[in-house]
Amino acid sequence: KQFDELLFTSLEEDKKALLAHCHQMLNTMEEFVCDGRMEKCFRWLGFIQGCLCCAGIYTLNELKNHSRPDGQK
């Protein structure tokens, strides 16, 4: 399903549906990388990171540190 087609009924249901949608996006992103569509891949990555932050799974600082070299964390 497309994100705007998801029907949310409760906070936990919202979170579960949102994360399932993000998981599906990751599978498609692999195809984007193989096809050299990196700009779209980066936009989708940003969307997924925003969802992970809003769902309370990671803080913004934790997400920033995921892509930093070890010496800069």
Side-chain angles (χ1 to χ4, degrees):
K1 284 187 170 183
Q2 293 293 319
F3 180 74
D4 58 354
E5 295 174 340
L6 298 174
L7 299 174
F8 299 116
T9 56
S10 72
L11 186 57
E12 281 306 308
E13 289 290 318
D14 291 355
K15 192 179 204 180
K16 185 176 179 179
L18 184 64
L19 295 176
H21 181 73
C22 290
H23 187 264
Q24 179 273 327
M25 290 176 72
L26 290 171
N27 294 331
T28 304
M29 286 172 63
E30 288 183 47
E31 296 172 23
F32 293 158
V33 171
C34 291
D35 294 341
R37 299 175 66 191
M38 297 308 294
E39 293 84 11
K40 186 162 189 159
C41 188
F42 292 140
R43 285 193 306 271
W44 282 31
L45 178 60
F47 175 85
I48 292 169
Q49 288 174 321
C51 291
L52 292 171
C53 186
C54 289
I57 295 170
Y58 291 106
T59 66
L60 183 57
N61 283 333
E62 289 171 329
L63 289 166
K64 287 179 188 178
N65 286 331
H66 288 166
S67 59
R68 287 188 179 138
D70 286 333
Q72 296 180 5
K73 292 182 181 180

